[in-house]
Amino acid sequence: MHIQIVLFDGFDPLDAIAPYEVLYAGGVASDGAVTVELVSAQGPREVISGTGGLTLRATGTLDPERADIVVVPGASGRVGDLAEVPEAGAGEWEPDQPIPVLLGRTLSTELPALLTQAMQAPGVTVATVCGGSLVLAMAGLLEGRHATTHHLGLDLLDATGAHAVSARIVDDGDLVTGAGVTSGLDLGLYLLERELGPRVAHTVEELFAHERRGTVWRADGLTPTAF
């Protein structure tokens, strides 16, 4: 199982590194059943985050034909006005931009087309952390889908036509989304459990001294009555 984690200018480092470390450890615990790499839509390059100019290197190109799972992080910056979706190509990247602007800038790159390909590819799961689901939503890819994001972005997610769910992890089949920043740990562990089984996930959970939080929400089972 090959996993590609997508970097874009202004990404949130923890959104990318938390699932990377968990999934990498899952590969070690499963004798190589999981491989993971950092990629960008433009190919190998240094990608600057929205956190103090911290830079990570993408070693490959996002390629839905090679990936079984594609993970999209959110952005790091000022909260800004989450009620307004920015236009595509909202200027050049610069430090301390609002998060909606950083997310909106991805619309003028190759990323939306590649994510569309990933969403349409049989057998490929697209996963997101925090504002990563808003990247998909701004590209028009989440209409009618159940998803979550950081709690400050739930209204914006809902406004794009997605069914926003206030949950730590939402499993909508070939779309698995995580909420706030640290949910990347829980997302990675859940993906390990879903794909490789609970024993591998539990081994990594113990290694990281992290207990997963919350119920994984799925659109099945009894419909609860309101309290």
Side-chain angles (χ1 to χ4, degrees):
M1 179 175 66
H2 186 58
I3 302 170
Q4 293 189 324
I5 298 177
V6 184
L7 304 180
F8 56 86
D9 292 332
F11 75 94
D12 187 295
L14 190 56
D15 286 3
I17 291 300
Y20 181 94
E21 285 209 50
V22 168
L23 295 166
Y24 180 85
V28 174
S30 62
D31 198 23
V34 176
T35 55
V36 58
E37 65 175 333
L38 299 176
V39 301
S40 82
Q42 298 80 18
R45 68 183 182 96
E46 301 294 323
V47 187
I48 190 166
S49 78
T51 303
L54 177 67
T55 299
L56 294 179
R57 178 162 181 79
T59 58
T61 305
L62 174 58
D63 183 357
E65 294 186 359
R66 291 183 53 234
D68 299 294
I69 298 176
V70 174
V71 180
V72 184
S76 175
R78 291 188 289 109
V79 172
D81 183 4
L82 291 175
E84 182 178 353
V85 178
E87 296 181 0
E92 296 298 321
W93 184 91
E94 59 185 49
D96 200 33
Q97 287 184 315
I99 288 173
V101 172
L102 295 172
L103 297 176
R105 285 188 70 254
T106 65
L107 300 179
S108 62
T109 70
E110 300 90 339
L111 187 56
L114 291 170
L115 291 177
T116 299
Q117 184 182 345
M119 294 284 287
Q120 295 175 346
V124 175
T125 295
V126 176
T128 69
V129 182
C130 200
S133 57
L134 294 173
V135 172
L136 297 176
M138 290 177 179
L141 298 175
L142 292 192
E143 186 170 354
R145 302 297 300 265
H146 294 94
T148 193
T149 189
H150 191 285
H151 65 92
L152 293 175
L154 287 171
D155 288 344
L156 175 55
L157 182 62
D158 201 60
T160 66
H163 298 303
V165 181
S166 180
R168 185 76 167 171
I169 302 291
V170 173
D171 184 339
D172 198 41
D174 59 1
L175 173 69
V176 181
T177 55
V181 184
T182 57
S183 68
L185 292 167
D186 301 311
L187 178 81
L189 289 165
Y190 176 66
L191 290 174
L192 289 179
E193 180 181 10
R194 195 176 92 152
E195 303 298 329
L196 300 181
R199 289 188 291 180
V200 169
H202 183 256
T203 295
V204 176
E205 188 176 58
E206 285 196 312
L207 175 67
F208 279 57
H210 172 75
E211 294 183 3
R212 280 184 284 173
R213 292 174 49 197
T215 300
V216 176
W217 189 97
R218 291 185 293 272
D220 55 23
L222 296 175
T223 300
T225 56
F227 286 101

PDB file of all heavy atoms in Angstrom, residues 135-156:
ATOM      1  N   VAL A 135      -9.561  22.272   0.877  1.00  0.00           N
ATOM      2  CA  VAL A 135      -8.903  22.279  -0.428  1.00  0.00           C
ATOM      3  C   VAL A 135      -9.759  21.515  -1.439  1.00  0.00           C
ATOM      4  O   VAL A 135     -10.020  21.986  -2.550  1.00  0.00           O
ATOM      5  CB  VAL A 135      -7.492  21.668  -0.340  1.00  0.00           C
ATOM      6  CG1 VAL A 135      -6.888  21.503  -1.727  1.00  0.00           C
ATOM      7  CG2 VAL A 135      -6.583  22.530   0.524  1.00  0.00           C
ATOM      8  N   LEU A 136     -10.217  20.329  -1.039  1.00  0.00           N
ATOM      9  CA  LEU A 136     -11.088  19.533  -1.912  1.00  0.00           C
ATOM     10  C   LEU A 136     -12.411  20.246  -2.154  1.00  0.00           C
ATOM     11  O   LEU A 136     -12.924  20.277  -3.283  1.00  0.00           O
ATOM     12  CB  LEU A 136     -11.348  18.165  -1.286  1.00  0.00           C
ATOM     13  CG  LEU A 136     -10.161  17.235  -1.083  1.00  0.00           C
ATOM     14  CD1 LEU A 136     -10.604  15.984  -0.363  1.00  0.00           C
ATOM     15  CD2 LEU A 136      -9.498  16.883  -2.393  1.00  0.00           C
ATOM     16  N   ALA A 137     -12.975  20.812  -1.091  1.00  0.00           N
ATOM     17  CA  ALA A 137     -14.277  21.458  -1.201  1.00  0.00           C
ATOM     18  C   ALA A 137     -14.219  22.673  -2.119  1.00  0.00           C
ATOM     19  O   ALA A 137     -15.119  22.894  -2.935  1.00  0.00           O
ATOM     20  CB  ALA A 137     -14.784  21.855   0.183  1.00  0.00           C
ATOM     21  N   MET A 138     -13.162  23.501  -1.989  1.00  0.00           N
ATOM     22  CA  MET A 138     -13.019  24.675  -2.846  1.00  0.00           C
ATOM     23  C   MET A 138     -12.854  24.282  -4.311  1.00  0.00           C
ATOM     24  O   MET A 138     -13.208  25.052  -5.208  1.00  0.00           O
ATOM     25  CB  MET A 138     -11.814  25.501  -2.393  1.00  0.00           C
ATOM     26  CG  MET A 138     -12.003  26.212  -1.064  1.00  0.00           C
ATOM     27  SD  MET A 138     -10.480  27.079  -0.584  1.00  0.00           S
ATOM     28  CE  MET A 138     -10.997  27.832   0.967  1.00  0.00           C
ATOM     29  N   ALA A 139     -12.339  23.088  -4.543  1.00  0.00           N
ATOM     30  CA  ALA A 139     -12.185  22.589  -5.913  1.00  0.00           C
ATOM     31  C   ALA A 139     -13.459  21.925  -6.424  1.00  0.00           C
ATOM     32  O   ALA A 139     -13.475  21.396  -7.542  1.00  0.00           O
ATOM     33  CB  ALA A 139     -11.022  21.601  -5.975  1.00  0.00           C
ATOM     34  N   GLY A 140     -14.532  21.954  -5.611  1.00  0.00           N
ATOM     35  CA  GLY A 140     -15.808  21.389  -6.034  1.00  0.00           C
ATOM     36  C   GLY A 140     -15.883  19.881  -5.976  1.00  0.00           C
ATOM     37  O   GLY A 140     -16.702  19.269  -6.680  1.00  0.00           O
ATOM     38  N   LEU A 141     -15.074  19.259  -5.114  1.00  0.00           N
ATOM     39  CA  LEU A 141     -14.975  17.800  -5.100  1.00  0.00           C
ATOM     40  C   LEU A 141     -15.725  17.131  -3.954  1.00  0.00           C
ATOM     41  O   LEU A 141     -15.739  15.904  -3.873  1.00  0.00           O
ATOM     42  CB  LEU A 141     -13.505  17.390  -5.041  1.00  0.00           C
ATOM     43  CG  LEU A 141     -12.650  17.830  -6.226  1.00  0.00           C
ATOM     44  CD1 LEU A 141     -11.181  17.464  -5.997  1.00  0.00           C
ATOM     45  CD2 LEU A 141     -13.163  17.206  -7.515  1.00  0.00           C
ATOM     46  N   LEU A 142     -16.346  17.920  -3.062  1.00  0.00           N
ATOM     47  CA  LEU A 142     -16.989  17.312  -1.890  1.00  0.00           C
ATOM     48  C   LEU A 142     -18.498  17.512  -1.842  1.00  0.00           C
ATOM     49  O   LEU A 142     -19.115  17.222  -0.809  1.00  0.00           O
ATOM     50  CB  LEU A 142     -16.368  17.859  -0.598  1.00  0.00           C
ATOM     51  CG  LEU A 142     -14.920  17.478  -0.308  1.00  0.00           C
ATOM     52  CD1 LEU A 142     -14.558  17.843   1.120  1.00  0.00           C
ATOM     53  CD2 LEU A 142     -14.668  15.990  -0.551  1.00  0.00           C
ATOM     54  N   GLU A 143     -19.099  17.975  -2.905  1.00  0.00           N
ATOM     55  CA  GLU A 143     -20.539  18.193  -2.879  1.00  0.00           C
ATOM     56  C   GLU A 143     -21.269  16.883  -2.596  1.00  0.00           C
ATOM     57  O   GLU A 143     -21.060  15.861  -3.256  1.00  0.00           O
ATOM     58  CB  GLU A 143     -21.021  18.781  -4.207  1.00  0.00           C
ATOM     59  CG  GLU A 143     -22.486  19.170  -4.173  1.00  0.00           C
ATOM     60  CD  GLU A 143     -22.904  19.968  -5.395  1.00  0.00           C
ATOM     61  OE1 GLU A 143     -22.024  20.316  -6.216  1.00  0.00           O
ATOM     62  OE2 GLU A 143     -24.117  20.241  -5.515  1.00  0.00           O
ATOM     63  N   GLY A 144     -22.115  16.907  -1.558  1.00  0.00           N
ATOM     64  CA  GLY A 144     -22.881  15.729  -1.183  1.00  0.00           C
ATOM     65  C   GLY A 144     -22.121  14.707  -0.359  1.00  0.00           C
ATOM     66  O   GLY A 144     -22.699  13.699   0.046  1.00  0.00           O
ATOM     67  N   ARG A 145     -20.834  14.962  -0.085  1.00  0.00           N
ATOM     68  CA  ARG A 145     -20.038  14.011   0.689  1.00  0.00           C
ATOM     69  C   ARG A 145     -20.015  14.406   2.163  1.00  0.00           C
ATOM     70  O   ARG A 145     -20.109  15.576   2.512  1.00  0.00           O
ATOM     71  CB  ARG A 145     -18.588  13.969   0.167  1.00  0.00           C
ATOM     72  CG  ARG A 145     -18.436  13.596  -1.293  1.00  0.00           C
ATOM     73  CD  ARG A 145     -18.932  12.188  -1.595  1.00  0.00           C
ATOM     74  NE  ARG A 145     -18.235  11.164  -0.863  1.00  0.00           N
ATOM     75  CZ  ARG A 145     -17.170  10.472  -1.348  1.00  0.00           C
ATOM     76  NH1 ARG A 145     -16.696  10.751  -2.551  1.00  0.00           N
ATOM     77  NH2 ARG A 145     -16.606   9.519  -0.624  1.00  0.00           N
ATOM     78  N   HIS A 146     -19.887  13.410   3.032  1.00  0.00           N
ATOM     79  CA  HIS A 146     -19.743  13.666   4.461  1.00  0.00           C
ATOM     80  C   HIS A 146     -18.265  13.889   4.769  1.00  0.00           C
ATOM     81  O   HIS A 146     -17.406  13.100   4.350  1.00  0.00           O
ATOM     82  CB  HIS A 146     -20.271  12.487   5.276  1.00  0.00           C
ATOM     83  CG  HIS A 146     -21.746  12.283   5.150  1.00  0.00           C
ATOM     84  ND1 HIS A 146     -22.299  11.416   4.221  1.00  0.00           N
ATOM     85  CD2 HIS A 146     -22.790  12.851   5.806  1.00  0.00           C
ATOM     86  CE1 HIS A 146     -23.621  11.449   4.338  1.00  0.00           C
ATOM     87  NE2 HIS A 146     -23.949  12.309   5.283  1.00  0.00           N
ATOM     88  N   ALA A 147     -17.963  14.963   5.487  1.00  0.00           N
ATOM     89  CA  ALA A 147     -16.568  15.305   5.771  1.00  0.00           C
ATOM     90  C   ALA A 147     -16.494  16.184   7.003  1.00  0.00           C
ATOM     91  O   ALA A 147     -17.492  16.760   7.447  1.00  0.00           O
ATOM     92  CB  ALA A 147     -15.949  16.021   4.572  1.00  0.00           C
ATOM     93  N   THR A 148     -15.286  16.314   7.526  1.00  0.00           N
ATOM     94  CA  THR A 148     -15.044  17.213   8.646  1.00  0.00           C
ATOM     95  C   THR A 148     -13.811  18.051   8.368  1.00  0.00           C
ATOM     96  O   THR A 148     -13.086  17.833   7.396  1.00  0.00           O
ATOM     97  CB  THR A 148     -14.894  16.441   9.979  1.00  0.00           C
ATOM     98  OG1 THR A 148     -14.961  17.356  11.065  1.00  0.00           O
ATOM     99  CG2 THR A 148     -13.591  15.661  10.037  1.00  0.00           C
ATOM    100  N   THR A 149     -13.560  19.010   9.234  1.00  0.00           N
ATOM    101  CA  THR A 149     -12.399  19.879   9.147  1.00  0.00           C
ATOM    102  C   THR A 149     -12.196  20.505  10.525  1.00  0.00           C
ATOM    103  O   THR A 149     -12.899  20.150  11.479  1.00  0.00           O
ATOM    104  CB  THR A 149     -12.590  20.955   8.059  1.00  0.00           C
ATOM    105  OG1 THR A 149     -11.354  21.651   7.852  1.00  0.00           O
ATOM    106  CG2 THR A 149     -13.679  21.958   8.425  1.00  0.00           C
ATOM    107  N   HIS A 150     -11.261  21.433  10.641  1.00  0.00           N
ATOM    108  CA  HIS A 150     -11.100  22.189  11.886  1.00  0.00           C
ATOM    109  C   HIS A 150     -12.436  22.828  12.250  1.00  0.00           C
ATOM    110  O   HIS A 150     -13.182  23.278  11.367  1.00  0.00           O
ATOM    111  CB  HIS A 150     -10.037  23.268  11.688  1.00  0.00           C
ATOM    112  CG  HIS A 150      -9.594  23.926  12.954  1.00  0.00           C
ATOM    113  ND1 HIS A 150     -10.383  24.856  13.616  1.00  0.00           N
ATOM    114  CD2 HIS A 150      -8.455  23.801  13.685  1.00  0.00           C
ATOM    115  CE1 HIS A 150      -9.750  25.281  14.689  1.00  0.00           C
ATOM    116  NE2 HIS A 150      -8.566  24.653  14.756  1.00  0.00           N
ATOM    117  N   HIS A 151     -12.759  22.890  13.546  1.00  0.00           N
ATOM    118  CA  HIS A 151     -14.083  23.371  13.941  1.00  0.00           C
ATOM    119  C   HIS A 151     -14.364  24.786  13.450  1.00  0.00           C
ATOM    120  O   HIS A 151     -15.533  25.141  13.200  1.00  0.00           O
ATOM    121  CB  HIS A 151     -14.246  23.284  15.470  1.00  0.00           C
ATOM    122  CG  HIS A 151     -13.333  24.175  16.242  1.00  0.00           C
ATOM    123  ND1 HIS A 151     -13.687  25.457  16.622  1.00  0.00           N
ATOM    124  CD2 HIS A 151     -12.079  23.968  16.726  1.00  0.00           C
ATOM    125  CE1 HIS A 151     -12.695  25.998  17.292  1.00  0.00           C
ATOM    126  NE2 HIS A 151     -11.708  25.126  17.376  1.00  0.00           N
ATOM    127  N   LEU A 152     -13.323  25.607  13.257  1.00  0.00           N
ATOM    128  CA  LEU A 152     -13.550  26.965  12.755  1.00  0.00           C
ATOM    129  C   LEU A 152     -13.934  26.988  11.269  1.00  0.00           C
ATOM    130  O   LEU A 152     -14.411  28.011  10.784  1.00  0.00           O
ATOM    131  CB  LEU A 152     -12.303  27.825  12.974  1.00  0.00           C
ATOM    132  CG  LEU A 152     -11.947  28.137  14.426  1.00  0.00           C
ATOM    133  CD1 LEU A 152     -10.626  28.901  14.491  1.00  0.00           C
ATOM    134  CD2 LEU A 152     -13.061  28.937  15.102  1.00  0.00           C
ATOM    135  N   GLY A 153     -13.728  25.895  10.572  1.00  0.00           N
ATOM    136  CA  GLY A 153     -14.036  25.852   9.150  1.00  0.00           C
ATOM    137  C   GLY A 153     -15.261  25.040   8.783  1.00  0.00           C
ATOM    138  O   GLY A 153     -15.571  24.880   7.601  1.00  0.00           O
ATOM    139  N   LEU A 154     -16.014  24.538   9.787  1.00  0.00           N
ATOM    140  CA  LEU A 154     -17.160  23.680   9.494  1.00  0.00           C
ATOM    141  C   LEU A 154     -18.244  24.404   8.703  1.00  0.00           C
ATOM    142  O   LEU A 154     -18.854  23.828   7.787  1.00  0.00           O
ATOM    143  CB  LEU A 154     -17.736  23.102  10.784  1.00  0.00           C
ATOM    144  CG  LEU A 154     -16.910  22.003  11.449  1.00  0.00           C
ATOM    145  CD1 LEU A 154     -17.455  21.669  12.834  1.00  0.00           C
ATOM    146  CD2 LEU A 154     -16.866  20.747  10.571  1.00  0.00           C
ATOM    147  N   ASP A 155     -18.501  25.669   9.026  1.00  0.00           N
ATOM    148  CA  ASP A 155     -19.522  26.416   8.289  1.00  0.00           C
ATOM    149  C   ASP A 155     -19.115  26.608   6.833  1.00  0.00           C
ATOM    150  O   ASP A 155     -19.953  26.502   5.921  1.00  0.00           O
ATOM    151  CB  ASP A 155     -19.768  27.783   8.945  1.00  0.00           C
ATOM    152  CG  ASP A 155     -20.511  27.668  10.262  1.00  0.00           C
ATOM    153  OD1 ASP A 155     -21.103  26.598  10.527  1.00  0.00           O
ATOM    154  OD2 ASP A 155     -20.503  28.648  11.038  1.00  0.00           O
ATOM    155  N   LEU A 156     -17.842  26.914   6.607  1.00  0.00           N
ATOM    156  CA  LEU A 156     -17.360  27.073   5.239  1.00  0.00           C
ATOM    157  C   LEU A 156     -17.463  25.758   4.485  1.00  0.00           C
ATOM    158  O   LEU A 156     -17.892  25.721   3.326  1.00  0.00           O
ATOM    159  CB  LEU A 156     -15.913  27.564   5.249  1.00  0.00           C
ATOM    160  CG  LEU A 156     -15.202  27.670   3.896  1.00  0.00           C
ATOM    161  CD1 LEU A 156     -15.985  28.533   2.925  1.00  0.00           C
ATOM    162  CD2 LEU A 156     -13.788  28.198   4.078  1.00  0.00           C
TER     163      LEU A 156
END
